Each structure stands twice: as structure tokens, then as C-alpha cells.
Amino acid sequence: MVRGRPREEGIDDAVREAVRALLAETGYQRCTIDAVAARAGVGKAAVYRRWRSKAELVFTAVIHAADLAPPEDTGSLRGDVAAVLGVIESSLDGPELRRALPSLLADVRADPVLEARFGEVFLGRERGYLVQMLDRAVERGELSRRPDPALVHAMLLGPVLTWLHLFPEPPPSGGLAASLASPVYAAVVALGA
Amino acid sequence: MVRGRPREEGIDDAVREAVRALLAETGYQRCTIDAVAARAGVGKAAVYRRWRSKAELVFTAVIHAADLAPPEDTGSLRGDVAAVLGVIESSLDGPELRRALPSLLADVRADPVLEARFGEVFLGRERGYLVQMLDRAVERGELSRRPDPALVHAMLLGPVLTWLHLFPEPPPSGGLAASLASPVYAAVVALGA
């Protein structure tokens, strides 16, 4: 088992690289599982074994893995909010993703099984980490109670997603996460007051 | 000119109704301008004269008109934020729009001319009204300076869009706008401090 691991990791990296190249060159529609396997030089079976759908393959290659790392504990809610906004901004930024995201979401929306799996694997994982962040803030006495994690999730993810994927202008100089850190922190404090 | 107006308004209403019915019955892909004209019982030329693209037709029929009404002056920034959130929630809510929005955005993203027009007509109009709301708050002494309107736009639109179009769960009881009014108000105050 140990011997096989580097090869397996090599496949993941090659596939991720192939997805990014195909999105940039041909767009989402033509970035099929078959095309990705050919470009990565791996068997189609190896790709199908790892990802249940094209949408999931693209999501994990360009946004974040299903086993997303937990956000760092910076020692304060203000710091934690800024750190999470930075992770969200770097996950959602980039011209390939900007072009691909609406089509990816259309695929997810068209398939209830895929939609349920996305809610569970990606949004559910993110939500779980926000609960940890909020519980730390309650323990530190920074919030008097844990606010609804879904509202906190919407306040953190929504402004970044909307600016990067809907607005025509580039982010403010200094970065979007830095510009949003104070207002989003104020919003989270208001939710947990 | 005056005599023709009711007939023109009748066409707008019939087309809007036809778009909603076709989105519900057949989905975005098959809700074509030809199908809309046939369903509304109006000439195709009348539809093409009013809307430059299918994406624009669908947007104005189910989200908001190009001549969006300005938000009400409630007498306070807190009230204005709550009112705008209510308008955004009612504009973006509904199962037909939830299914159609990713495909609509994919169409817009794929066409730079259409994307520029969307930025100007829809986002630009919304942005202009937020500037009015912020200027009123500065005049009242509720903000010490006018914050970046794009950041305020992202803080108001983002959480509603993300919850209604990405999250699997229904909005909180009492409505999303009511749950977001306090945190978003706190965020706007932090931006204008």
C-alpha cells in the first residue's frame, strides 16, 4: 500500500493539471472526463474511480478538495474571519474558474443526486469548519452565542463569490479579502450578539 | 403615441408571463425567443425589438427590469438596508430562477458584449441606487464617509444570492432579508466608519 501512494498522488496532480489546461484552452463544455484522462496520460478508469462526475472533478481541481484543510486558528475571531476570507478568495479567483463556474453550477443544478452530493461534500465541509471557528470565538468570549452557521457562511462566501464572479471590475487594490475583513467581522459579531 | 402605449404594455406582460411559464415547463435551454413569442402570441419582431438577447429577456422577466425602481427612503440607513435586502430577496427567489440562473450566467459569461451590457444595465442600475442610499446616510450623519459602493453592493447582494442559489436549505423562518438586516447593516457601518 505504501509503495503505491506516490503513483496515486501523481495521478491526482496530473489530472488536476489537465483540468486546468483544458478549461483554459477549450472551456468547460469540452473539458470532458475522456479529454482529461487523455491529456493527463492516465486511464479513464483511474479518473472515474476517483471522481463521480465531471462537475466534481472540475470542482476539486480548481476550487477545493473534498478533504479541504481546516482554517487556521489565528487566536482571535477577527483574525480567523480574515484568514477564511483569504482562503475563499484564493479558491474562487482566476479567469478559468470565472468562465467555468456558471456551467459547472448549471450541471449541478440539473442533477438532484449531484446537487445533494455537492451540498454534503463541499458546502458541508466548509460549514463544519465555520462551526469550529464560531465555537472558538464563543469560548474566547468574543461572541455571546454561536450564530446560525448558514448565515455566517453566506456572509463570508457571498460577497467574495459575487465580486469575483458577477462584478465586471477587478478586486480593490490590496485584495478583496483585506477589504472585506472588517465589514464581515462586524457582521459576524452582530449575528452572535 | 399615447394610444399605442397600452398595447405595448400588454406585449411586455404577455412576454414576461410566457418566459415564466416556459422556464417552469421546459427549462432555460428550451425557453428560446421563438418559443416565447409563440407562447405569448406576439410577433418575433416585437420581442427582438425590445430585448437584445435571450439572456436579457429572461433577466428582465424574472429578476428585475432594466428600469428598476429606486429603493424607498425609509428615513434611516438601517431601514434602507433592510428594504433593499427585501427587494433583492424577492427578485432572486423562486424555483424557476434557481434552476435557470446558472445557465443564464453561462450565456452572459460566454459573450463579452452581453457581459458588458449586463454590467451596465443591471449591475450599474443597482449600484447607482446604492450610491443614493449611502449619500443619504452620510447626509443624515449615520456614516462619516461614503464607502466603496462596490463593496456595499457585494455585502448586500452576495449573501442573498449565495443562500438562495447555492445552499441546499430553505431560508430561515421569517425570511432571509430579515435575518440578514442586522449583520449587513453592521457591515455597511464598518465600511463607512
Side-chain angles (χ1 to χ4, degrees), chain B residues 107-163:
Chain B
D107 272 5
V108 171
R109 185 68 74 242
D111 179 345
V113 173
L114 187 56
E115 189 167 27
R117 184 164 160 80
F118 259 70
E120 187 190 318
V121 173
F122 298 110
L123 294 172
R125 181 69 64 121
E126 296 166 16
R127 190 77 55 89
Y129 288 149
L130 294 182
V131 168
Q132 293 178 25
M133 178 188 87
L134 295 169
D135 285 346
R136 287 200 300 262
V138 172
E139 279 167 31
R140 289 187 206 108
E142 294 171 295
L143 298 177
S144 60
R145 58 182 184 83
R146 187 175 86 193
D148 178 351
L151 286 170
V152 173
H153 199 182
M155 293 295 319
L156 282 156
L157 178 55
V160 180
L161 184 68
T162 297
W163 189 305

Side-chain angles (χ1 to χ4, degrees), chain A residues 98-99 102-103 105-106 109 115 123 127 150-151 153-155 158-159 161-163 165-167 169 180 183 186-187 191, chain B residues 98-99 102-103 105-106 109 115 123 127 150-151 153-155 158-159 161-163 165-167 169 180 183 186-187 191:
Chain A
R98 184 172 157 97
R99 277 196 300 276
S103 301
L105 293 177
R109 184 69 73 244
E115 189 167 27
L123 294 172
R127 189 77 54 87
L151 286 170
H153 199 181
M155 293 297 316
L161 184 69
T162 297
W163 189 306
H165 291 269
L166 213 58
F167 288 179
E169 61 264 73
L180 288 171
L191 281 169
Chain B
R98 185 173 157 97
R99 276 195 300 275
S103 301
L105 293 176
R109 185 68 74 242
E115 189 167 27
L123 294 172
R127 190 77 55 89
L151 286 170
H153 199 182
M155 293 295 319
L161 184 68
T162 297
W163 189 305
H165 290 269
L166 213 58
F167 288 178
E169 61 263 72
L180 288 170
L191 282 168

Side-chain angles (χ1 to χ4, degrees), chain A residues 105-158:
Chain A
L105 293 177
D107 272 5
V108 171
R109 184 69 73 244
D111 179 347
V113 173
L114 188 56
E115 189 167 27
R117 184 162 161 81
F118 260 70
E120 188 190 316
V121 173
F122 298 110
L123 294 172
R125 181 70 64 125
E126 297 166 16
R127 189 77 54 87
Y129 288 150
L130 294 181
V131 168
Q132 292 177 26
M133 178 188 87
L134 295 169
D135 285 346
R136 287 199 300 262
V138 172
E139 278 165 32
R140 290 187 205 106
E142 295 171 296
L143 297 177
S144 60
R145 59 182 183 85
R146 186 173 87 194
D148 178 351
L151 286 170
V152 173
H153 199 181
M155 293 297 316
L156 283 155
L157 177 56

Side-chain angles (χ1 to χ4, degrees), chain A residues 71-81 83 133 136-137 140-142:
Chain A
E72 84 188 282
D73 178 356
T74 67
S76 72
L77 177 61
R78 184 184 282 274
D80 286 0
V81 164
M133 178 188 87
R136 287 199 300 262
R140 290 187 205 106
E142 295 171 296

